Amino acid sequence: MAILSTLLSYLSSHPSPLRLPQTSQYLSQQAPIFLSSSDSSKDTQETWIVYEQLLLSCLRTGDDASAKLCLERLSDRFGRDSPRISALVGLYEEAAAKDVRELESVLKGYQDILKEDPTNMPIEKRHIALLASLNRTEDAIKALTALLNHSPNDAESWSQLSSLYYTQGMYPQAIFCLEEVLLILPNAYNMFARLGEINYISAQGTNMDGLIESVKHFARSVELCEWYLRGWYGLKLVTGKILELNRADKAGGIERKKIEALNEMATKKLAEIVGKANRRERGWGGFDEAEVEAAKALVDSSDVKTVR
Amino acid sequence: MASVQEQTILRDPQLFYWILFPITIVMVLTGILRHYATVLMQSAPQKQDIRAIREQRNLLHGIALRTNLNQLSLSSFTARKNYLVAAYNRGEFLKDQENKGKPPANPMTDPAGMDQMMNMLKGNMAMMVPQTLIMGWINAFFSGFVIMKLPFPLTIRFKSMLQSGVMTRDMDVRWVSSLSWYFLNLFGLRPVFSFILGNDNAADQMAAQMGGMNPAAGAGMFAPGQDPHKMFLAEAENLEVVGGQHEWVLDGVIERLLAAHN
């Protein structure tokens, strides 16, 4: 099979190759083969998508030479002034920078571009990402709020702002931002689970109302996605906490019976997921191994408790 | 029973090579030429001002809040609603706040609208000019030729379609005149063009005509001539109305989940 169609089918079965090290490694290993093949000179939409993905994977695995080649061909085709290409150029420069001083000069470059053309969203986002990675969280938050002021329908930015607020311990703000994401993507089960997590953390394990809120968010998350590991994990953890804290028949307006039933259900589901993932059954390979391991530990620890 | 007498017309076989093929080839070539001419003539999409983007996206924000209000708790929703309604009523997100109450500018003088119209005009010209030229060429050189015979019979209604340019009442419908061959090509070459040029080609007559019928479709939500302040006020009212129907999805989620898994 030709390399282009191989890569395209790989990309369609792994839609976000940067999420896992293995997938980006595979892509960056294919990059030199693709770049020297005749397929690389085709001028179709797919080719350029492949180029972009290869560029990102190569930057991630440290194959700067292939990345540079990809970038050169992309900028030859679309011109360096195109917003998308200019962001990729910036990304390459960030990756190639050797010390903080060089990063600062890249940052300066971003600011110059933004001064000239404030509508350049890709560069604006790179600017924010660079600020965050330089540990200038406050500036990053400021830049993000400026971006969200003119584009309040950008879910990506809202969720990034949420995680920045979260690192600063500003939980109510983080929750607010995640709620904005829900307004844009109403069925994002991972966002519901994330809301549950932040509610749980901000409740500090004692605030009953916060814990109940957290349980509700986790419940919604697994209602939307039946096999969402983080949702079930959180559901089990938080209901366990509530049962431990509260001996009364009612906790925060919810009957103890229901909380117990939820806890039991979550344990069952987690055990099922852990079993299936560990046996590597067909169609159950998508779970993160560390998460499965953590779920196993949680299920095991609760087993010990019930035996005792 | 007498068999139907087949009409026979003696044709010079050279007609085939000197009329049928040239017309087809010329049609294909002009189609390709038109595609590239359109691509060349297209002006780059005009960059939007940051204030215009802000205006549009903040309106979309309100729409998102209105459609997905049930995802939020009542207090979160009310806080957002109050903020947005107040800001909308103040006209905070407007592109030019001085012109808030004034009637919208004439779309003819709006530079963005002019640009759009210019583009439409260019597209139409690219379609009309070659069509006129080729039709003139065929009329001048090939009018009145009967160039081929269809291998299947047709009813009389097709006569005007297939034999334009040949005014003979008694001729069988299966004979096709050169002018008709031109029309058949004009409408029938679409698969050929999408094979040569890909799917989104500008050579396609049909697509061009469809586009001509609905020019506002691609122009975004703020068509020239609409008053953004009025849209914001309407959205503020929508938000107020919808606030009464709030119903949080997280209410009763525990019961729903328990019921679903038992």
Side-chain angles (χ1 to χ4, degrees):
Chain A
M1 204 159 46
I3 178 85
L4 180 63
S5 50
T6 319
L7 286 174
L8 280 174
S9 67
Y10 188 80
L11 281 176
S12 67
S13 58
H14 301 85
S16 49
L18 293 179
R19 206 165 62 87
L20 294 174
Q22 301 94 290
T23 47
S24 27
Q25 194 191 4
Y26 173 83
L27 278 184
S28 78
Q29 280 164 353
Q30 301 295 315
I33 309 173
F34 173 73
L35 288 172
S36 57
S37 74
S38 61
D39 279 350
S40 67
S41 53
K42 273 187 193 158
D43 184 14
T44 61
Q45 220 166 354
E46 289 101 27
T47 329
W48 300 113
I49 290 171
V50 167
Y51 264 113
E52 195 180 16
Q53 290 298 330
L54 288 182
L55 168 63
L56 296 175
S57 301
C58 287
L59 285 180
R60 186 168 188 214
T61 52
D63 183 0
D64 286 357
S66 300
K68 191 159 179 56
L69 198 55
C70 288
L71 188 60
E72 269 168 10
R73 294 200 185 158
L74 277 169
S75 50
D76 283 350
R77 172 66 179 81
F78 298 101
R80 274 194 160 229
D81 297 331
S82 127
R84 198 154 155 183
I85 300 294
S86 63
L88 290 176
V89 170
L91 193 66
Y92 174 79
E93 281 169 0
E94 281 174 48
K98 285 181 200 66
D99 50 26
V100 179
R101 277 244 306 287
E102 282 184 33
L103 282 179
E104 297 277 0
S105 75
V106 176
L107 190 71
K108 186 85 193 13
Y110 287 161
Q111 282 160 355
D112 291 343
I113 296 179
L114 284 178
K115 218 173 279 166
E116 228 165 77
D117 176 17
T119 57
N120 193 334
M121 287 268 285
I123 285 287
E124 200 170 355
K125 287 188 176 177
R126 282 305 331 144
H127 179 224
I128 291 161
L130 186 54
L131 280 175
S133 67
L134 284 170
N135 275 330
R136 288 162 60 177
T137 316
E138 262 178 54
D139 292 338
I141 289 177
K142 231 180 261 164
L144 260 178
T145 44
L147 186 152
L148 288 168
N149 183 20
H150 69 71
S151 306
N153 51 358
D154 191 86
E156 194 182 39
S157 303
W158 278 115
S159 82
Q160 200 192 1
L161 184 58
S162 159
S163 63
L164 287 178
Y165 275 134
Y166 172 75
T167 58
Q168 302 300 300
M170 297 159 82
Y171 301 126
Q173 283 84 346
I175 290 173
F176 179 93
C177 295
L178 284 184
E179 284 175 346
E180 287 289 338
V181 177
L182 285 184
L183 287 181
I184 301 158
L185 305 163
N187 293 331
Y189 54 86
N190 51 351
M191 287 300 138
F192 275 108
R194 185 80 193 130
L195 272 170
E197 286 166 20
I198 296 181
N199 267 313
Y200 171 64
I201 292 166
S202 69
Q204 310 278 356
T206 51
N207 175 2
M208 191 50 75
D209 286 340
L211 290 180
I212 294 293
E213 193 97 320
S214 160
V215 168
K216 281 184 176 171
H217 280 104
F218 280 123
R220 175 68 183 161
S221 145
V222 295
E223 187 186 34
L224 288 169
C225 174
E226 200 187 342
W227 298 108
Y228 189 51
L229 181 59
R230 284 184 89 98
W232 287 116
Y233 185 96
L235 196 56
K236 173 158 176 53
L237 187 76
V238 183
T239 48
K241 196 91 187 175
I242 293 175
L243 292 176
E244 222 172 80
L245 275 174
N246 195 319
R247 298 275 161 206
D249 278 349
K250 262 195 164 188
I254 308 270
E255 292 161 39
R256 187 178 168 83
K257 240 183 15 218
K258 283 182 183 163
I259 301 283
E260 271 171 358
L262 276 182
N263 190 337
E264 208 173 297
M265 187 196 299
T267 315
K268 222 165 59 194
K269 286 280 180 189
L270 279 178
E272 201 174 338
I273 292 175
V274 168
K276 285 189 170 169
N278 280 344
R279 284 197 299 276
R280 305 199 179 281
E281 276 184 31
R282 249 180 90 87
W284 293 83
F287 293 106
D288 188 298
E289 276 184 28
E291 286 182 1
V292 172
E293 207 48 44
K296 191 167 180 299
L298 183 72
V299 173
D300 290 348
S301 74
S302 75
D303 280 350
V304 173
K305 244 183 257 164
T306 44
V307 168
R308 213 172 16 175
Chain B
M1 214 167 96
S3 65
V4 179
Q5 187 74 45
E6 278 245 345
Q7 244 177 18
T8 46
I9 297 179
L10 202 60
R11 280 166 301 154
D12 188 345
Q14 295 288 322
L15 281 178
F16 210 71
Y17 304 116
W18 292 102
I19 298 181
L20 195 77
F21 281 128
I23 291 180
T24 317
I25 290 170
V26 165
M27 290 295 293
V28 172
L29 288 182
T30 36
I32 293 173
L33 197 70
R34 177 163 55 222
H35 170 71
Y36 286 111
T38 322
V39 170
L40 267 181
M41 282 202 295
Q42 249 163 14
S43 51
Q46 215 188 15
K47 262 219 157 116
Q48 267 188 313
D49 178 32
I50 187 85
R51 299 186 63 81
I53 291 179
R54 180 164 178 264
E55 182 182 77
Q56 283 183 19
R57 297 199 175 154
N58 275 293
L59 184 61
L60 286 174
H61 189 205
I63 294 173
L65 179 64
R66 172 159 58 86
T67 41
N68 293 325
L69 80 163
N70 292 340
Q71 307 297 326
L72 303 186
S73 63
L74 185 59
S75 61
S76 308
F77 168 72
T78 319
R80 284 177 173 78
K81 185 198 75 182
N82 289 342
Y83 161 70
L84 279 181
V85 168
Y88 284 177
N89 283 335
R90 266 203 315 277
E92 178 157 333
F93 300 121
L94 287 178
K95 188 166 58 182
D96 35 6
Q97 303 196 346
E98 311 85 68
N99 295 351
K100 197 159 68 180
K102 294 177 191 160
N106 185 357
M108 284 300 174
T109 57
D110 186 9
M114 271 319 266
D115 206 56
Q116 202 188 338
M117 266 186 262
M118 194 65 203
N119 268 339
M120 258 168 63
L121 192 70
K122 277 184 202 165
N124 280 340
M125 286 307 277
M127 213 167 70
M128 293 303 293
V129 170
Q131 252 184 46
T132 326
L133 285 181
I134 297 181
M135 200 142 152
W137 170 66
I138 288 175
N139 252 334
F141 288 95
F142 308 129
S143 72
F145 283 107
V146 170
I147 52 173
M148 64 185 240
K149 187 184 180 192
L150 293 175
F152 44 84
L154 286 168
T155 52
I156 197 76
R157 290 274 171 197
F158 284 92
K159 203 169 166 74
S160 58
M161 186 176 117
L162 290 176
Q163 292 176 0
S164 49
V166 182
M167 310 296 178
T168 319
R169 243 191 314 139
D170 295 335
M171 197 160 62
D172 195 359
V173 191
R174 292 164 69 180
W175 298 101
V176 179
S177 75
S178 56
L179 197 59
S180 297
W181 179 243
Y182 161 74
F183 281 118
L184 286 182
N185 269 320
L186 189 64
F187 296 112
L189 279 179
R190 187 218 280 258
V192 178
F193 288 136
S194 49
F195 174 70
I196 302 176
L197 299 169
N199 274 327
D200 282 337
N201 61 69
D204 197 337
Q205 297 282 335
M206 282 319 198
Q209 279 165 11
M210 292 303 222
M213 276 177 217
N214 190 7
M221 46 186 303
F222 285 111
Q226 223 162 358
D227 183 6
H229 188 52
K230 288 227 175 75
M231 294 177 76
F232 275 120
L233 290 182
E235 190 52 43
E237 202 171 312
N238 285 343
L239 277 172
E240 289 287 10
V241 169
V242 92
Q245 305 159 0
H246 179 268
E247 199 176 315
W248 197 18
V249 281
L250 257 57
D251 284 337
V253 66
I254 294 177
E255 289 75 15
R256 284 204 304 273
L257 191 66
L258 287 173
H261 287 267
N262 277 333

